[in-house]
Amino acid sequence: MDERLLTEFLAEAEDAVEELYGELATLRARDSDGRARREALARVFRRVHTLKGSAASAGLSGVAALAHEFESLLETVRAGRVSTDARTLDAFDAALAALEETLAAARRGEDADAPRSVVERLRSMTAGEGAGVIDESLADTDESLFDAGLGDEALGFLDEQERRRLSEAVAEGARARVVSVSFSLEDFDERFRLLSDALSESGEIISTLPVTTPDAPERVGFRVLHATRETRAQTAGRVAPFGATVEELTTPTREMKETWA
């Protein structure tokens, strides 16, 4: 085991655990707020995913195994198959406490396996046992999106999690739009980050699809599926500084046009 790598990982992991405790507190406080809940879940998922990979690189198999089971449950919740009820949130807390204990053992130079009771609890809940299972199938999700006027164009490039998130956002009153943009290869990462920040102020980014620009090889393009309650004109004004365009993913009725214009 690389001692330097282990030392660096343990320092970073301590910060990650503190951040995760804060995120889980936010998740409990905002459980009834759909958008905030989805965003908090995404942040927790990313942090646990990073922790899993870093623990594996540092040779801490117990931490990596526990983080893997935690990540699996988070993925199931994000996909909409298990609800974020009190039992699920309690399981999140138990997983994080177990991660903290396993990391503490590593700091003492001890070999620590993932606690079997916590691993089994996470696995059973991921499988839908002892958790608030959501019966809605993906077909039902797609049907609800089609009912909202969203067709193959909106659904063709989305995975299950993204379809669930879009379905929830639409049910909460958001409209789905595609923001198309291209940036120079020299600064696209910074420009795209700024665009993402601007879009996140008014809604949530459901999916980002890179697109080729054969006529401009020095540029990289993106199609961003955005769910928002803003009018189309407001979103267009928000993204105009980036040279982006906005298009609806619905065929609006007259009433819808009057509301969304």
Side-chain angles (χ1 to χ4, degrees):
M1 182 185 298
D2 186 326
E3 291 299 326
R4 181 185 60 81
L5 180 61
L6 176 61
T7 300
E8 291 177 356
F9 165 72
L10 289 174
E12 293 172 358
E14 184 175 1
D15 292 338
V17 167
E18 288 301 317
E19 291 169 349
L20 282 166
Y21 272 118
E23 296 289 9
L24 292 185
T26 298
L27 190 57
R28 282 188 179 275
R30 299 183 178 180
D31 185 53
S32 61
D33 183 339
R35 176 186 169 189
R37 175 180 55 79
R38 289 190 292 274
E39 291 175 347
L41 277 171
R43 291 192 298 270
V44 172
F45 179 86
R46 287 194 297 270
R47 295 190 194 284
V48 173
H49 178 75
T50 299
L51 189 61
K52 179 187 73 171
S54 299
S57 298
L60 298 179
S61 57
V63 176
L66 182 55
H68 171 72
E69 300 300 339
F70 191 2
E71 180 186 45
S72 295
L73 178 56
L74 285 163
E75 187 172 12
T76 302
V77 172
R78 292 181 70 207
R81 295 190 294 271
V82 171
S83 66
T84 48
D85 60 14
R87 290 169 295 179
T88 302
L89 293 172
D90 287 346
F92 289 172
D93 288 340
L96 184 53
L99 277 172
E100 189 173 30
E101 292 172 5
T102 309
L103 288 165
R107 290 190 192 93
R108 296 191 298 268
E110 303 172 3
D111 292 330
D113 293 329
R116 182 178 296 275
S117 60
V118 177
V119 168
E120 291 178 350
R121 179 180 183 183
L122 295 173
R123 286 178 178 173
S124 67
M125 296 190 73
T126 300
E129 301 168 7
V133 179
I134 298 174
D135 294 329
E136 181 187 17
S137 67
L138 187 57
D140 293 334
T141 298
D142 286 352
E143 183 177 354
S144 70
L145 291 173
F146 279 120
D147 287 345
L150 300 170
D152 291 337
E153 183 181 9
L155 303 179
F157 60 89
L158 301 184
D159 62 23
E160 181 180 2
Q161 288 184 9
E162 291 164 344
R163 293 187 189 195
R164 299 281 191 185
R165 288 172 55 206
L166 179 58
S167 178
E168 288 183 16
V170 169
E172 292 160 8
R175 277 85 72 179
R177 300 191 178 101
V178 166
V179 176
S180 298
V181 68
S182 71
F183 296 119
S184 167
L185 288 171
E186 295 179 354
D187 62 355
F188 79 90
D189 49 351
E190 175 65 13
R191 295 281 288 164
F192 184 77
R193 183 188 64 79
L194 292 173
L195 173 64
S196 297
D197 289 345
L199 290 173
S200 296
E201 290 177 359
S202 63
E204 56 189 303
I205 295 175
I206 303 298
S207 178
T208 300
L209 181 68
V211 295
T212 59
T213 53
D215 56 335
E218 75 285 357
R219 301 183 68 81
V220 57
F222 298 94
R223 282 171 60 83
V224 182
L225 181 57
H226 183 235
T228 179
R229 296 188 184 186
E230 277 193 329
T231 66
R232 179 173 177 173
Q234 288 173 321
T235 302
R238 184 180 294 277
V239 303
F242 302 94
T245 60
V246 181
E247 61 183 289
E248 299 284 358
L249 282 186
T250 59
T251 303
T253 63
R254 183 179 65 183
E255 291 77 11
M256 293 164 69
K257 286 180 179 179
E258 290 174 352
T259 303
W260 300 4

